[in-house]
């Protein structure tokens, strides 16, 4: 069997999303074989990231500066806030380079089964930002899951008194999608959200 250091490496790699025990073993072996060109630089990069990266005090994005580079960018439209569940969702939105406003990261979704209520999410921070003024629209970009929908409805209730327009990302047929490959829920949502041609 392997030594405790190798087993610990495999166990830690196995905690990463998408890596099971077998994949973690393959990754560990690859890192160990490429120690000088891959493992040591990766180790240094992980240590540097752990030291330097922190959550933004405004939106909760992860960056090396506070406020983050998105919140500090004067070219961004400060009147638009896109609310996302997690930093990964923010990065996905930024990848498309189509949104020029600011973000707000909730840190998850409401989930009665998991014991996650409003106090565990960054909802208070969003309310403070909106009450601070200058917000023209809030775009709710939570996922189209039960918890995502529950969170979106809760946000709508909490923000109703602010009179700031609240919109939701459209759901339905993706660009390039074929109807016979879509699930029933996606088709039903697309049909309900139809618009004039």
């Amino acid at each position: 069997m392997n030594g405790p250091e190798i087993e610990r490496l495999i166990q830690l790699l196995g905690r990463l999303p998408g890596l099971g025990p077998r994949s973690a073993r393959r990754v560990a072996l690859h890192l160990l074989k490429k120690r000088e060109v891959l493992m040591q630089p990766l180790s240094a990069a992980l240590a540097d990231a752990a030291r330097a990266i922190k959550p933004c005090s405004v939106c909760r994005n992860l960056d090396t500066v506070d406020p983050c580079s998105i919140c500090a960018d004067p070219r961004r439209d400060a009147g638009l806030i896109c609310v996302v569940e997690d930093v990964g969702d923010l990065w996905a939105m930024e990848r498309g380079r189509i949104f020029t406003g600011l973000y707000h990261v909730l840190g998850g979704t409401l989930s009665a089964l998991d014991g996650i209520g409003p106090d565990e999410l960054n909802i208070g921070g969003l309310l403070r930002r909106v009450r601070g003024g200058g917000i023209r629209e809030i775009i709710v970009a939570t996922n189209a899951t039960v918890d995502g929908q529950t969170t979106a409805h809760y946000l709508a209730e909490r923000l109703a008194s602010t009179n700031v327009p609240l919109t939701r990302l459209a759901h339905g047929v993706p660009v390039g999608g074929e109807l016979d490959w879509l699930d029933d829920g996606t088709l039903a949502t697309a049909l309900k959200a139809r618009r004039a041609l």
Side-chain angles (χ1 to χ4, degrees), residues 50-74:
R51 270 192 304 276
I53 296 173
K54 56 190 164 249
C56 174
S57 60
V58 177
C59 73
R60 307 307 284 172
N61 183 22
L62 296 175
D63 205 335
T64 56
V65 293
D66 186 19
C68 72
S69 55
I70 294 173
C71 288
D73 187 345

Side-chain angles (χ1 to χ4, degrees), residues 48-132:
D48 290 344
R51 270 192 304 276
I53 296 173
K54 56 190 164 249
C56 174
S57 60
V58 177
C59 73
R60 307 307 284 172
N61 183 22
L62 296 175
D63 205 335
T64 56
V65 293
D66 186 19
C68 72
S69 55
I70 294 173
C71 288
D73 187 345
R75 296 170 297 180
R76 304 297 286 223
D77 184 346
L80 291 176
I81 294 180
C82 181
V83 179
V84 295
E85 291 178 18
D86 207 345
V87 174
D89 300 324
L90 184 155
W91 291 355
M93 293 285 291
E94 281 297 288
R95 203 172 44 237
R97 299 180 195 269
I98 53 172
F99 182 66
T100 58
L102 300 177
Y103 294 94
H104 189 85
V105 179
L106 293 174
T109 56
L110 296 172
S111 175
L113 290 175
D114 296 326
I116 300 173
D119 294 338
E120 284 75 41
L121 301 178
N122 188 20
I123 295 173
L126 177 63
L127 294 171
R128 284 189 294 279
R129 287 178 76 182
V130 172
R131 289 182 183 133

